[in-house]
Amino acid sequence: MKTLSIRNAVLDTIEKFVKCAVFLFFLLTMNGLSYASERSPCGLSGTVDERISDCSSQSDFQKEGFILVSRKPSLGEVRKELSTGLIWSDRLPSRFTYIESTTACNADSLAVNGSVGVAGITDITWRRPTWDEYIEAEKNGIRKAMPNMVGKVADDNLFWTEDWGLFDGRRGVITFMSLDAPFSVRCVSGSNT
C-alpha cells in the first residue's frame, strides 16, 4: 500500500513537471518567435520616410511616443519621437568626455562598423540632445522606447547633453558630473529650438 502511494506521488510529480516543461517550452518558443520578428533589421537604406515605411511592419514599430526608423543588428535602433519630430539614435558604441562628445554625432567624423554616419544615416544632421529635449522625451517614454538606456555599470546609464549635463537613463533625470569623465552619447536630429 505504501509503495503504491509513493508510486502515485512520483507519477503526479512527473506529470506536473512535464506539464510545466511543455508550458515553459511554449512560452519560450512564442517569445522567441516574437522577439525574432521584433528584432528583424529594417530601414537600412533610403530617406528617413522610406526607412520608416520599411520598418512599419515590425511588431514593435511604435513604442510609447516613438516609431522605428531603422534597426541594424550591430548598431541598434533609431526612432522618431512623434510629438517633437526628433530622430533619436541608439547609444553610440564608445564613451566620450564632454569635449570629445561635441563631435561624436558629426556624421562626417563618425565611422562605425564600416558605415559613416550615425547608424549609417547620413542624409540628416546629427547632434547631442539638449536637457529640454531629454526631459520632453522622458515625458514621451524614451526609456521604454529606446534600447540601451541602462548599461551594465552605473556610468553607462548617463548620456551627455548639449548643455553640459547628463541624462540618467535609469532614473529619467538630468544630473551633473565632471566634464572630463567619459560617458555615453545618444545623438538626435531635428530642431533644437
Side-chain angles (χ1 to χ4, degrees), residues 82-128:
L82 293 172
S83 68
T84 64
L86 293 176
I87 299 173
W88 292 82
S89 79
D90 205 336
R91 170 198 312 264
L92 296 184
S94 299
R95 291 169 43 148
F96 305 88
T97 65
Y98 179 78
I99 297 300
E100 292 168 342
S101 75
T102 59
T103 59
C105 294
N106 183 333
D108 295 331
S109 66
L110 182 67
V112 180
N113 296 333
S115 74
V116 176
V118 176
I121 302 175
T122 58
D123 59 340
I124 57 178
T125 303
W126 293 99
R127 60 181 174 74
R128 289 174 303 191

Side-chain angles (χ1 to χ4, degrees), residues 51-104:
R51 290 169 185 261
I52 290 171
S53 178
D54 184 48
C55 291
S56 65
S57 64
Q58 299 287 311
S59 61
D60 66 338
F61 173 66
Q62 184 169 346
K63 282 184 169 178
E64 301 295 316
F66 293 77
I67 58 173
L68 190 59
V69 173
S70 177
R71 178 181 290 127
K72 293 178 96 171
S74 60
L75 201 53
E77 295 179 1
V78 174
R79 288 189 173 268
K80 183 175 182 177
E81 188 176 2
L82 293 172
S83 68
T84 64
L86 293 176
I87 299 173
W88 292 82
S89 79
D90 205 336
R91 170 198 312 264
L92 296 184
S94 299
R95 291 169 43 148
F96 305 88
T97 65
Y98 179 78
I99 297 300
E100 292 168 342
S101 75
T102 59
T103 59

Side-chain angles (χ1 to χ4, degrees), residues 25-47:
F25 177 77
F26 173 76
L27 285 178
L28 292 173
T29 303
M30 291 306 294
N31 284 339
L33 292 174
S34 172
Y35 182 76
S37 64
E38 287 179 9
R39 303 297 300 171
S40 298
C42 66
L44 301 180
S45 64
T47 66

